[in-house]
Amino acid sequence: MSETALPAGRPSAFGWLTTVVLAGALSGFLAAFFSISDATFIFGLSMPALLPIGIGVALLSTAVLAAVTALSSSIPGVVAQTQEVPLATLAVVAASIPGLMPAGASETATFTTLLCTLGASTLVTGLFFFLLGYFRLGRFIRYVPLPVIAGFIAGMGLILLLGSVEVVAGRPLELATLEGWLSASVLAKLALAGGLALLLHVLPRLTQSALATPAAILGAVLLFHAVARFVGIESLTSEGWFVSVETGSNLWGYGEYVDFATVEWGVIASQALTIATMVLVSAMALLMTSSAIELAIHRDVDVNGELKAAGAANLCAGLIGGIPGFQGFSLTLLNWRLGAATRATSLVVAVVCLAILALGAPLLSVVPIPIFGGLLLWLSVSLLEEWLVATWKRLSKGEYLVILLIVAVIASLGFLEGLLVGLIAGVVIFVVDYSRVDIVNARLSGQVLRSSVELSGERQKVLAAHGDAILILRLQGYIFFGTADRLRERILSWVASSGPTPISFLLIDFRRASGMDSSAALTFRKLVQLTAQGDFRLVLTGLSKELRQTLERGGMPFDPAGPVRAYPTLDRGLRWCEQKLLGRVAPLLASDDPYQIQEQLLSGIDRGEHGQKLLSYMTRASFPQDHVLIEQGTASEEMYFIEAGRLSVHLAKSDGGRLRLKTLGPGTTVGELAFYLHQRRSASVVCDTDTVAWRFGHDDLQRMAEQAPDLAALFHRRMAVLLSERLAATNRLVQVLLD
């Protein structure tokens, strides 16, 4: 059992309830602390006067996210909360809204516009999540290159880092305010926030206890108040150490600050691209979080189901102007380690957030702003460490430079510019990486790969000697301009360095190619220029309808009388190349004229007296077209030597159809394997034309062995040579394909 699994046995009802309440309360307080920190980051600089109301919005958002996700997620004990990934973008949006409002806009108009912007962001996020899950498109988000994702998240971590420091100091990080940053009070705030962030950062390296983080936060609060007794709470309050809360105000009653008639919808629309960036990156972060939870709890997670759960939760939160969020890794893992991985625990988290929302105004006068800032600082450092520092070892230098570029653009220009640079970088990464993929599945020559037409011994010797004149390329995958141009350069190199036997036929097989863009079609059109440089032919095989149309639009001249020929299969294209090559180098062997049987039987051996003796043990017979010379599954009693005609070898399929294996012509042998192995026929042989063949049966072989043992030995030697040549050709082909 893993460390994250529930304890063995069935606990009592009281024990179960106690575990659920304690774990839920602990997770709930942590979720509330994180929510308050997020609200401080969003509202602390844009509208500090309404920060308590902003905290109420964040707490209510977390309560809704936790409750809805608890009821719809496939992960028991999961805790959804406001997240730091969309937080950085929303902080930028919130900071820009006051400056975009018309001159003289009231505080109510500004707050309502900000609230509607947050609500619209959350609604769009929820809708996007839900649609991705509903249409089961979650896997496509993972196609975004890792450097682009890492750059976005690291950029958010940097924005979060700078923003958390500004929140703690209570002033913007600008040259004009530099003197104020050097005051004793600001330095003390930064020291407390930095110390807490450092403590939270090193705790996981010192202990595996799930209580370490809440204990550190509680200890920091107690230590602060122990020191504050000597300094004076009143003086610290006046110096901005606490969230300012007016007497009688609360965290949840923000209705009096909302007036939808004053909303500036144009201001909200101006943030559309920034919000779209946040939504996309949030989806990536949710998918990565789901994968991390899956690995941590050793349980399969339905990614699309989690997208729908997070989508429903954000849709509900968006209706109240809430902040977007999704499933949290650390709090979910905390519940599992405490043995409280149930939906009830997650509902307790929502109850705790609502309780703090209703009664938590005094909490803000107890917990200082640097504590919340320290939490934000810890989160930002964690993001930078994971996505900016740790990626140095996991990625190549080029990919890491993309991360640095995106982070630099986000920090100096903004998220929209970072989005544009990231998308461009993603396209460049794809083009560069995919162009390195070898689309050539195999490079062969006509010397190694032969068509299914079985030729006579002399024809095979000619092809073996001149087969390098046929260059065969089998392509694979999607072909675009990068891979196609690289292929063209390699072909030019192969043709230029073809050696003593120049390449005269270029056969390109597209059967394994999944597609092609128009730029690649133009590149293949350039290959036709090779045909104008000499006696060179281009043969394209295995073209789908779509590929052929793409090539035709690119200007590929498919003309039977032209330099480019197309065939439906590689075998037919190769058969044409072999026939043309034979006609060029051995015209007398290119035809299907009847073949002297002595040439076939005694190639390379004295044919005089032996040839006539061999023929005396064979029977010459004629067979009409469509005659079944050999039937699959029958006993093997004879073999045949083809003198004239053309035959085809077929394999019967289970559905009643037939698969054509190869074609036989004059000068070939059929049935010899089953004849020597005494096995049943493995395929059928049918006469495609009127055929003349010489039959040689087991009884003939027995009679030859008894009457002319020397001749029988000569016959066996010749058959051994024939079978060995076939085996050697097969071995050469296998070796090339495995290379």
Side-chain angles (χ1 to χ4, degrees), residues 452-534:
S452 62
V453 176
E454 189 166 331
L455 303 172
S456 64
E458 290 192 3
R459 292 183 176 94
Q460 292 182 29
K461 288 180 180 180
V462 171
L463 289 180
H466 301 275
D468 286 340
I470 305 174
L471 175 60
I472 305 163
L473 302 178
R474 302 178 67 176
L475 305 187
Q476 63 182 354
Y478 188 83
I479 306 169
F480 75 111
F481 62 92
T483 52
D485 192 65
R486 180 166 171 248
L487 174 64
R488 186 181 68 88
E489 293 177 354
R490 295 170 68 187
I491 290 174
L492 293 176
S493 175
W494 291 329
V495 172
S497 60
S498 55
T501 304
I503 296 175
S504 302
F505 302 91
L506 174 60
L507 192 156
I508 304 178
D509 182 53
F510 291 85
R511 188 172 68 86
R512 289 181 173 84
S514 58
M516 177 193 305
D517 67 4
S518 56
S519 299
L522 291 175
T523 301
F524 281 103
R525 175 67 177 83
K526 295 178 182 178
L527 290 176
V528 182
Q529 298 173 1
L530 288 174
T531 63
Q533 300 175 6

Side-chain angles (χ1 to χ4, degrees), residues 28-106:
F29 274 107
L30 286 175
F33 267 79
F34 287 130
S35 298
I36 294 172
S37 299
D38 295 346
T40 305
F41 187 49
I42 295 175
F43 293 91
L45 295 178
S46 59
M47 303 191 70
L50 295 180
L51 177 56
I53 303 301
I55 291 175
V57 172
L59 286 171
L60 186 57
S61 301
T62 298
V64 172
L65 291 170
V68 176
T69 306
L71 298 175
S72 55
S73 172
S74 62
I75 308 172
V78 67
V79 177
Q81 61 188 99
T82 56
Q83 294 284 349
E84 64 273 9
V85 171
L87 175 62
T89 308
L90 292 179
V92 174
V93 172
S96 64
I97 284 180
L100 297 174
M101 295 293 291
S106 65

Side-chain angles (χ1 to χ4, degrees), residues 439-728:
I439 61 172
V440 179
N441 175 264
R443 176 168 72 98
L444 309 167
S445 74
Q447 186 183 55
V448 176
L449 183 63
R450 305 281 175 80
S451 70
S452 62
V453 176
E454 189 166 331
L455 303 172
S456 64
E458 290 192 3
R459 292 183 176 94
Q460 292 182 29
K461 288 180 180 180
V462 171
L463 289 180
H466 301 275
D468 286 340
I470 305 174
L471 175 60
I472 305 163
L473 302 178
R474 302 178 67 176
L475 305 187
Q476 63 182 354
Y478 188 83
I479 306 169
F480 75 111
F481 62 92
T483 52
D485 192 65
R486 180 166 171 248
L487 174 64
R488 186 181 68 88
E489 293 177 354
R490 295 170 68 187
I491 290 174
L492 293 176
S493 175
W494 291 329
V495 172
S497 60
S498 55
T501 304
I503 296 175
S504 302
F505 302 91
L506 174 60
L507 192 156
I508 304 178
D509 182 53
F510 291 85
R511 188 172 68 86
R512 289 181 173 84
S514 58
M516 177 193 305
D517 67 4
S518 56
S519 299
L522 291 175
T523 301
F524 281 103
R525 175 67 177 83
K526 295 178 182 178
L527 290 176
V528 182
Q529 298 173 1
L530 288 174
T531 63
Q533 300 175 6
D535 192 5
F536 187 90
R537 303 299 295 269
L538 179 62
V539 181
L540 308 180
T541 65
L543 288 169
S544 64
K545 180 180 179 181
E546 293 76 13
L547 285 172
R548 181 168 182 130
Q549 290 175 347
T550 302
L551 288 171
E552 288 176 340
R553 288 194 296 266
M556 182 66 72
F558 289 108
D559 184 357
V564 180
R565 299 185 68 89
Y567 290 95
T569 64
L570 170 63
D571 183 70
R572 289 186 58 181
L574 183 55
R575 190 187 314 170
W576 181 85
C577 293
E578 290 174 345
Q579 192 70 17
K580 289 297 179 181
L581 180 60
L582 285 172
R584 178 183 302 176
V585 299
L588 296 179
L589 298 177
S591 65
D592 286 339
D593 294 338
Y595 197 78
Q596 292 296 321
I597 193 65
Q598 294 93 330
E599 298 288 338
Q600 180 180 359
L601 291 174
L602 301 173
S603 177
I605 306 174
D606 176 26
R607 304 183 185 89
E609 180 182 356
H610 295 299
Q612 293 300 322
K613 287 184 178 181
L614 276 174
L615 292 180
S616 67
Y617 290 98
M618 298 182 183
T619 304
R620 188 175 185 269
S622 298
F623 304 97
Q625 182 179 352
D626 297 328
H627 174 76
V628 179
L629 188 65
I630 294 176
E631 187 171 357
Q632 181 177 343
T634 60
S636 174
E637 297 294 338
E638 67 280 311
M639 57 188 297
Y640 293 92
F641 299 90
I642 310 303
E643 177 180 317
R646 185 168 292 273
L647 306 90
S648 58
V649 181
H650 298 274
L651 181 67
K653 298 192 296 184
S654 58
D655 59 1
R658 295 190 305 174
L659 177 64
R660 188 187 186 100
L661 298 179
K662 60 181 179 179
T663 302
L664 305 174
T668 59
T669 308
V670 62
E672 69 278 4
L673 284 178
F675 178 83
Y676 270 96
L677 297 176
H678 298 280
Q679 293 179 346
R680 292 187 175 276
R681 306 293 192 182
S682 58
S684 297
V685 179
V686 181
C687 298
D688 294 335
T689 64
D690 292 343
T691 301
V692 176
W694 292 75
R695 178 190 181 279
F696 185 71
H698 286 296
D699 53 345
D700 299 318
L701 179 60
Q702 181 65 29
R703 185 161 51 90
M704 181 193 299
E706 294 174 353
Q707 298 175 359
D710 293 341
L711 184 62
L714 183 65
F715 176 81
H716 289 313
R717 189 175 73 180
R718 175 56 192 153
M719 296 307 300
V721 170
L722 175 65
L723 295 175
S724 297
E725 288 175 346
R726 292 182 180 177
L727 179 60

Side-chain angles (χ1 to χ4, degrees), residues 388-404:
L388 188 62
V389 178
T391 49
W392 167 256
K393 296 181 179 179
R394 298 200 301 262
L395 303 179
S396 66
K397 291 182 179 179
E399 292 174 324
Y400 190 75
L401 286 177
V402 171
I403 297 177
L404 293 180

Side-chain angles (χ1 to χ4, degrees), residues 37-281:
S37 299
D38 295 346
T40 305
F41 187 49
I42 295 175
F43 293 91
L45 295 178
S46 59
M47 303 191 70
L50 295 180
L51 177 56
I53 303 301
I55 291 175
V57 172
L59 286 171
L60 186 57
S61 301
T62 298
V64 172
L65 291 170
V68 176
T69 306
L71 298 175
S72 55
S73 172
S74 62
I75 308 172
V78 67
V79 177
Q81 61 188 99
T82 56
Q83 294 284 349
E84 64 273 9
V85 171
L87 175 62
T89 308
L90 292 179
V92 174
V93 172
S96 64
I97 284 180
L100 297 174
M101 295 293 291
S106 65
E107 186 179 64
T108 298
T110 303
F111 178 78
T112 306
T113 302
L114 174 57
L115 190 67
C116 288
T117 304
L118 294 176
S121 303
T122 308
L123 286 172
V124 172
T125 301
L127 182 61
F128 186 66
F129 284 178
F130 189 84
L131 290 177
L132 282 179
Y134 182 80
F135 291 106
R136 308 189 68 81
L137 300 176
R139 64 185 185 278
F140 292 111
I141 294 293
R142 301 186 184 187
Y143 293 163
V144 179
L146 177 60
V148 177
I149 298 175
F152 279 131
I153 298 180
M156 292 178 182
L158 181 61
I159 296 296
L160 189 59
L161 173 66
L162 298 176
S164 62
V165 173
E166 291 180 341
V167 166
V168 172
R171 63 196 69 214
L173 186 58
E174 299 173 354
L175 186 62
T177 62
L178 182 60
E179 183 178 354
W181 282 78
L182 300 178
S183 66
S185 178
V186 171
L187 292 177
K189 293 177 185 177
L190 293 174
L192 176 58
L196 177 60
L198 179 61
L199 178 61
L200 295 176
H201 186 70
V202 301
L203 272 179
R205 296 167 173 79
L206 301 177
T207 177
Q208 296 296 322
S209 175
L211 302 177
T213 298
I217 297 173
L218 179 60
V221 173
L222 295 177
L223 179 61
F224 168 79
H225 280 279
V227 176
R229 291 187 58 184
F230 298 97
V231 178
I233 293 294
E234 294 78 9
S235 62
L236 293 177
T237 302
S238 63
E239 293 177 0
W241 282 76
F242 299 95
V243 177
S244 177
V245 182
E246 297 181 2
T247 304
S249 63
N250 53 59
L251 303 179
W252 51 270
Y254 56 85
E256 59 184 289
Y257 298 97
V258 177
D259 184 1
F260 291 106
T262 63
V263 175
E264 293 292 335
W265 298 106
V267 173
I268 299 176
S270 67
Q271 305 299 314
L273 290 179
T274 304
I275 293 173
T277 304
M278 178 208 70
V279 171
L280 182 62
V281 178

